[in-house]
Amino acid sequence: MYKIFADIILPVPLPRLFTYAVPWDIAENLEVGMRVIVPFGKKKFYSGVVYQLHDNEPQDYEVKEIGTVLDETPVVTITQLNFWQWIADYYMCTLGEVYKAALPAGLKLESETKIHYNTDWEKDEALTQKESQILDILQEKKVASIQELNNLSEIKNALPTVKRLLDKEALFVSEKLKDGFKPRTQKIIGISAKYQKEQMLQNAFSELSRAKKQLEVLMTLLTLIGGAHPENFAKTITRDLLKKKCDPTGAAIRQLVQKGILEETDEIISRLNQSDTQIKELHPLTSEQEKAYTEIKAQYREKDAILLHGVTSSGKTEIYIHLIEEQIKLGNQVLYLLPEIALTTQITQRLKAVFGNKLGVYHSKYSDAERVEVWDDILKKNNYQVIIGVRSSIFLPFDKLGLIIIDEEHENTYKQFDPAPRYHARDTAIVLAAMHKAKVLLGTATPSIETYYNTQIGKFGFVELFNRYEGIQMPEIITSNVREERRKKRMVTNFSPILIDEVKGALAKNEQVILFQNRRGFSPYIECNQCAWVPKCDYCDVSMTYHKHNNQLICHYCGHSYFLPRTCKACESHELETKGFGTEKIEEDVKLMLPEASVLRMDLDTARTRKAHEKIINSFQSGEVDILIGTQMISKGLDFDNVSIVGILNADSMLNYPDFRAFERSFQLMSQVSGRAGRKNKQGKVILQTTNPDNPVILDVINNNFKNHYNEQLAERELFKYPPFYRLVYFTVRHKNNRLAEQVADYFTNYLRSIFDSRVIGPQEPPVSKIQNWHLRKVMVKIEKGASLKKVKELINQAIVASLSHPAFKAAQIQIDVDPM
């Protein structure tokens, strides 16, 4: 019956493709990479992506037909589909999960429940007032969504009423798929085709002799299009412009359209900022930058990926710009990856000045529609040759990618934690570059252990920049022993005397200060002084963080919140006290200590939107703000000319984290924060508060001794079988019942241990062992670098299937994280 079949990727977490028959009327135009609507199950419809077309009819089930094709041309390229398949295979997830992560929401379809009136229904019992109201609305409208019924009936929640009517079969529901993306349009006005002749236009003037307002509109239109000349008659202007010039109400314009003299149409316009930027010449490179640039180009003849290890403020970005310019001249595309959305503001301004409208930006703070337009622009090769973005940018439909720059390559924010696919953008970008035969440049002042190791074994190229731009010295780092300061009663607040003196000194010289505390909120927790009761989240096994600005306790894992209780829930004491300090507490203390200073805070609470990010950074950059307080958002890549003092308020919280990467991350974070000081004109100063100034990591930060830090960490990693010598796979076993979570974890671990023996670690309760009412256990497998990953993953899948198919464990979940951070 059917000759062509299509394998479709659907956004469902099932490890397979789904085969559908292609009807004759769409077979000729259907291509791989197009979106289609298909039935799934009894009542559901999904939008999916065509993965491949073939003539192999499924034999073990009755095949269903594709319903609708949504695109005239593919929205996903063959290279992208190959890339998706690699991610699914390597990170042990489904193609459907990759599809959900890769495509912007505006290109995915949503299933919206529609309620219909059943014309065959006969009333056999009395109806309530609400039921009659809903039926009256639907008899008139025929079909409506739940939200529409709420609005039209003014019933706060019409769903229970609808449910009762569904039970009585007075109504029925259908699933209607709606497109998430609608182009932005504007109304444009022009002279209609009939009147684009001189004689007909003269007739129009005569006809309008008594309609003075309409005549004025027509005359204004002719003036705006360049005059009453036949060459201009086909030109158009926007309706808004015409209204602004002569007709604020738009009534005369409407009347001219109704008479057929003017014509109004919709024109699709871009949501993206295509401003007329004044393009600047490239800055010439310094002799040291020029040497690094030449070395990079030379090494690209043999290596596809190179690490540029340059100290903070050494001018790495300027080298990136010169490499981008070279790729643009070759007609290639460039992907510039950043670890944080906060960084895109400054980098965008800098690159926009050089590359103008060839530069596009792509991240989650842009609206769905804006991201679809960026996707479409790259797909159709309209404007963008350079894309700045965060990890999701690797999924864009590049077709001539020449270079990928991965700035601050060491950052753990390149890793996607939840949901699947739990990919690492740095590692996947290197694979993406190989698919496009493109080059990769990894840049950082503090390389990850794995990346630096790859340079030492010859897998990556390696170029260094030892000195800061214009010879500015690295900042002086001074440790302040807060244990001693408190013992001597010289430290009442969270600021040591030396930090207070240095901050005051900087402000007196009209210089700026950055204070770093890697914890948001006012206080990490509240404690009762009488019985030591600590408020915990109802759904997660974690203490609630106090946020003073709204007087709430908030769980930073699930978002659950409630107002601060007045008394202890255990002993009813009124003696509740905040413990520890976050950025909000630091902000309050600074404002009390230095009331004349202008202070801003930058963390997840204050910088949730794109505009908030930009406003904070621009205010600090322009000198309106004296002191910037923040979390790790402020620790990397930001370039402020006038910052002379940086305060690291609690180095110990990073060093004592229970993770094998704790020392590596602490070194990176402290070095990066320190690098914000003294970037122009003079040497900066860093005050590092700690209870253990002799910690080897802190000594390496003070001496800017990355190689010593690397050698010590590498020796430990080799001894204890961690990356880069072994690959890690983490498993999170989840169950709503704590006892069953433990049983599933034990069963699964024993199964793995029968295959992998001593390579299996666990099961263990993580530090936070319950999140959103799911009880968690962690299991880890260490795999030698030489082992066959394909075989290992087959065996792991067998263990998961065997565990979850056990009758008692069907409600359990096992999440996989390959190469965890």
Side-chain angles (χ1 to χ4, degrees):
M1 185 180 175
Y2 297 103
K3 286 194 174 181
I4 301 176
F5 299 88
D7 290 339
I8 309 295
I9 304 171
L10 293 180
V12 293
L14 297 172
R16 51 163 295 187
L17 296 166
F18 298 88
T19 304
Y20 287 83
V22 180
W24 290 107
D25 58 331
I26 65 172
E28 191 176 334
N29 298 317
L30 189 65
E31 294 181 52
V32 169
M34 286 182 172
R35 294 173 303 152
V36 294
I37 293 176
V38 293
F40 187 81
K42 289 184 179 179
K43 294 183 180 178
K44 291 182 181 176
F45 289 84
Y46 284 115
S47 68
V49 172
V50 178
Y51 183 78
Q52 63 182 359
L53 297 166
H54 55 82
D55 57 4
N56 300 319
E57 183 175 359
Q59 300 301 314
D60 48 352
Y61 60 89
E62 186 180 343
V63 70
K64 294 180 180 178
E65 276 192 357
I66 289 173
T68 310
V69 180
L70 295 170
D71 308 301
E72 293 180 5
T73 57
V75 297
V76 180
T77 67
I78 301 291
T79 305
Q80 281 179 290
L81 291 173
N82 292 336
F83 183 51
W84 292 8
Q85 185 65 66
W86 180 86
I87 289 175
D89 290 342
Y90 186 82
Y91 289 102
M92 301 185 71
C93 61
T94 68
L95 265 173
E97 288 169 325
V98 181
Y99 158 67
K100 286 175 77 173
L103 232 57
L107 286 178
K108 289 177 283 196
L109 297 180
E110 299 172 354
S111 184
E112 181 183 57
T113 301
K114 290 287 185 181
I115 312 298
H116 298 254
Y117 177 70
N118 183 1
T119 54
D120 297 329
W121 176 72
E122 292 180 3
K123 184 169 72 171
D124 58 5
E125 61 181 285
L127 298 175
T128 66
Q129 184 183 345
K130 287 183 179 180
E131 288 171 347
S132 297
Q133 199 176 353
I134 294 295
L135 278 177
D136 288 343
I137 292 167
L138 282 168
Q139 277 181 305
E140 184 178 334
K141 280 185 67 70
K142 306 302 180 191
V143 60
S145 68
I146 294 293
Q147 187 59 51
E148 287 171 335
L149 290 174
N150 286 342
N151 297 337
L152 291 168
S153 65
E154 295 184 354
I155 299 171
K156 192 172 182 181
N157 182 9
L159 197 56
T161 309
V162 169
K163 176 69 170 65
R164 289 196 299 272
L165 289 168
L166 286 168
D167 292 340
K168 294 173 182 178
E169 298 183 350
L171 310 176
F172 64 92
V173 301
S174 70
E175 293 291 312
K176 182 180 177 183
L177 289 166
K178 65 173 185 179
D179 201 330
F181 173 70
K182 290 180 180 175
R184 175 179 284 181
T185 59
Q186 65 180 0
K187 299 287 184 184
I188 57 169
I189 299 287
I191 299 168
S192 67
K194 179 182 175 182
Y195 285 87
Q196 287 180 18
K197 294 172 185 173
E198 286 191 70
Q199 185 56 52
M200 288 300 295
L201 202 56
Q202 288 297 331
N203 294 344
F205 284 129
S206 301
E207 187 184 332
L208 298 174
S209 58
R210 294 184 181 180
K212 291 184 179 179
K213 192 65 186 175
Q214 294 175 42
L215 186 61
E216 182 195 343
V217 169
L218 183 57
M219 293 295 290
T220 305
L221 172 66
L222 287 167
T223 304
L224 291 171
I225 63 175
H229 192 280
E231 288 181 2
N232 297 326
F233 289 167
K235 292 180 181 177
T236 59
I237 62 167
T238 66
R239 190 178 196 275
D240 288 342
L241 177 60
L242 191 57
K243 278 180 67 176
K244 184 179 177 183
K245 292 290 183 183
C246 61
D247 185 18
T249 65
I253 297 173
R254 284 196 298 274
Q255 287 160 353
L256 285 167
V257 170
Q258 286 166 4
K259 290 176 179 178
I261 296 170
L262 298 186
E263 189 174 61
E264 183 177 80
T265 54
D266 288 327
E267 178 186 57
I268 294 174
I269 57 170
S270 175
R271 292 176 170 85
L272 306 171
N273 180 23
Q274 297 290 346
S275 57
D276 296 325
T277 309
Q278 187 67 39
I279 303 298
K280 297 178 182 176
E281 292 290 321
L282 269 68
H283 289 295
L285 297 173
T286 65
S287 57
E288 194 167 354
Q289 289 171 339
E290 185 67 47
K291 183 185 173 188
Y293 174 71
T294 307
E295 215 175 315
I296 289 167
K297 288 175 68 178
Q299 289 194 33
Y300 273 146
R301 295 187 194 115
E302 296 180 3
K303 305 286 184 185
D304 291 326
I306 293 171
L307 170 66
L308 175 59
H309 182 195
V311 296
T312 53
S313 196
S314 58
K316 295 186 290 294
T317 307
E318 205 59 52
I319 294 173
Y320 300 159
I321 290 171
H322 280 254
L323 289 166
I324 292 168
E325 174 73 6
E326 187 180 72
Q327 290 297 321
I328 286 177
K329 286 178 179 175
L330 293 170
N332 291 337
Q333 298 162 318
V334 178
L335 173 58
Y336 190 138
L337 284 173
L338 292 165
E340 289 271 6
I341 290 169
L343 293 182
T344 57
T345 302
Q346 278 197 333
I347 296 294
T348 300
Q349 291 169 354
R350 202 162 160 187
L351 269 66
K352 193 87 173 171
V354 180
F355 303 116
N357 290 333
K358 292 176 184 174
L359 179 76
V361 183
Y362 190 85
H363 56 61
S364 61
K365 289 292 189 285
Y366 275 67
S367 70
D368 289 339
E370 285 173 320
R371 277 181 282 164
V372 171
E373 289 198 9
V374 174
W375 184 286
D376 202 44
D377 187 284
I378 295 170
L379 198 63
K380 294 175 181 173
K381 309 175 193 65
N382 290 337
N383 296 298
Y384 300 141
Q385 282 184 265
V386 185
I387 290 292
I388 291 181
V390 291
R391 59 177 181 255
S392 59
S393 306
I394 62 169
F395 294 115
L396 286 165
F398 300 104
D399 79 319
K400 205 175 179 188
L401 197 56
L403 175 68
I404 300 179
I405 295 167
I406 307 171
D407 201 12
E408 310 295 354
E409 66 79 25
H410 64 278
E411 282 292 338
N412 68 332
T413 45
Y414 279 125
K415 173 74 173 178
Q416 163 78 9
F417 290 99
D418 271 314
R422 295 175 179 83
Y423 65 98
H424 197 298
R426 177 196 62 208
D427 301 340
T428 50
I430 292 170
V431 174
L432 178 67
M435 289 181 171
H436 284 272
K437 296 183 170 52
K439 301 296 183 184
V440 177
L441 184 66
L442 304 109
T444 180
T446 53
S448 66
I449 300 297
E450 288 93 329
T451 298
Y452 197 82
Y453 177 77
N454 281 332
T455 68
Q456 302 304 293
I457 63 172
K459 185 176 179 180
F460 294 168
F462 183 57
V463 177
E464 282 185 301
L465 271 174
F466 290 110
N467 299 313
R468 284 184 144 192
Y469 183 67
E470 293 185 343
I472 301 296
Q473 287 182 285
M474 293 295 290
E476 178 189 3
I477 300 177
I478 301 167
T479 56
S480 173
N481 189 332
V482 292
R483 180 185 281 126
E484 280 298 299
E485 297 290 0
R486 287 199 174 100
R487 187 180 66 80
K488 293 175 181 177
K489 296 189 170 35
R490 292 195 302 213
M491 188 172 167
V492 182
T493 64
N494 294 306
F495 308 98
S496 60
I498 186 172
L499 178 57
I500 294 170
D501 291 344
E502 292 292 348
V503 169
K504 288 180 176 178
L507 296 180
K509 297 176 197 169
N510 290 321
E511 294 169 346
Q512 291 173 298
V513 175
I514 287 178
L515 299 176
F516 171 75
Q517 167 63 2
N518 204 24
R519 187 185 286 274
R520 65 187 172 102
F522 187 86
S523 171
Y525 63 100
I526 301 286
E527 186 176 79
C528 173
N529 284 337
Q530 291 295 319
C531 69
W533 171 77
V534 174
K536 288 200 168 186
C537 177
D538 296 338
Y539 310 103
C540 308
D541 183 24
V542 65
S543 59
M544 303 283 278
T545 301
Y546 177 52
H547 289 249
K548 190 174 183 180
H549 73 280
N550 56 7
N551 197 37
Q552 284 193 328
L553 294 170
I554 300 175
C555 173
H556 285 178
Y557 282 83
C558 72
H560 175 59
S561 64
Y562 52 83
F563 286 105
L564 180 71
R566 294 183 179 180
T567 59
C568 170
K569 289 187 179 179
C571 69
E572 297 189 355
S573 165
H574 289 270
E575 295 185 42
L576 296 175
E577 188 177 336
T578 60
K579 299 289 182 178
F581 59 95
T583 49
E584 194 182 353
K585 167 71 171 165
I586 297 301
E587 182 185 25
E588 181 181 273
D589 289 351
V590 168
K591 285 179 176 177
L592 289 171
M593 184 173 65
L594 301 164
E596 73 286 355
S598 172
V599 182
L600 264 185
R601 173 164 55 94
M602 186 170 173
D603 55 27
L604 193 60
D605 298 318
T606 62
R608 287 188 182 275
T609 67
R610 183 175 92 218
K611 287 184 178 177
H613 271 117
E614 292 171 358
K615 187 176 179 182
I616 292 169
I617 290 169
N618 291 336
S619 297
F620 193 66
Q621 193 169 337
S622 64
E624 297 170 29
V625 175
D626 302 312
I627 301 173
L628 181 64
I629 298 159
T631 56
Q632 64 177 3
M633 280 185 179
I634 63 170
S635 70
K636 49 224 168 193
L638 294 174
D639 190 358
F640 302 116
D641 294 357
N642 198 35
V643 174
S644 63
I645 300 297
V646 167
I648 299 173
L649 299 177
N650 186 3
D652 303 330
S653 64
M654 297 177 277
L655 290 164
N656 297 329
Y657 195 77
D659 185 88
F660 78 94
R661 295 186 197 273
F663 278 14
E664 177 188 8
R665 286 189 186 148
S666 299
F667 177 88
Q668 289 165 347
L669 206 45
M670 285 188 272
S671 298
Q672 290 287 342
V673 175
S674 301
R676 301 313 109 205
R679 295 176 72 87
K680 297 285 191 301
N681 307 320
K682 59 174 282 188
Q683 183 184 24
K685 195 176 284 185
V686 179
I687 311 302
L688 195 156
Q689 296 188 166
T690 176
T691 58
N692 184 12
D694 296 323
N695 184 291
V697 176
I698 290 176
L699 295 175
D700 285 338
V701 171
I702 292 169
N703 299 318
N704 192 34
N705 193 344
F706 171 78
K707 285 193 176 173
N708 185 64
H709 164 73
Y710 167 77
N711 289 330
E712 287 190 0
Q713 289 303 298
L714 197 70
E716 279 192 16
R717 302 275 184 92
E718 188 170 22
L719 180 64
F720 294 107
K721 299 180 178 179
Y722 281 107
F725 302 102
Y726 279 69
R727 291 188 186 278
L728 302 183
V729 183
Y730 277 8
F731 304 92
T732 303
V733 179
R734 294 157 39 104
H735 203 290
K736 294 284 187 180
N737 181 291
N738 189 36
R739 182 180 58 81
L740 282 171
E742 191 171 339
Q743 289 178 4
V744 178
D746 287 339
Y747 185 94
F748 176 60
T749 305
N750 289 333
Y751 198 110
L752 285 176
R753 200 162 275 136
S754 70
I755 303 168
F756 298 108
D757 198 33
S758 61
R759 298 177 187 85
V760 181
I761 311 295
Q764 297 169 337
E765 272 197 42
V768 179
S769 61
K770 186 178 79 168
I771 296 177
Q772 293 180 319
N773 277 338
W774 287 94
H775 296 272
L776 313 178
R777 297 294 185 276
K778 293 284 188 183
V779 183
M780 178 170 63
V781 176
K782 298 180 178 181
I783 309 296
E784 297 92 334
K785 268 295 179 78
S788 164
L789 275 179
K790 185 178 179 183
K791 183 63 178 172
V792 165
K793 288 170 182 176
E794 284 175 5
L795 293 169
I796 285 171
N797 279 324
Q798 286 177 21
I800 291 171
V801 170
S803 301
L804 297 184
S805 59
H806 190 287
F809 303 153
K810 285 186 177 178
Q813 295 177 0
I814 299 177
Q815 294 178 343
I816 311 169
D817 190 358
V818 179
D819 297 341
M821 292 295 287

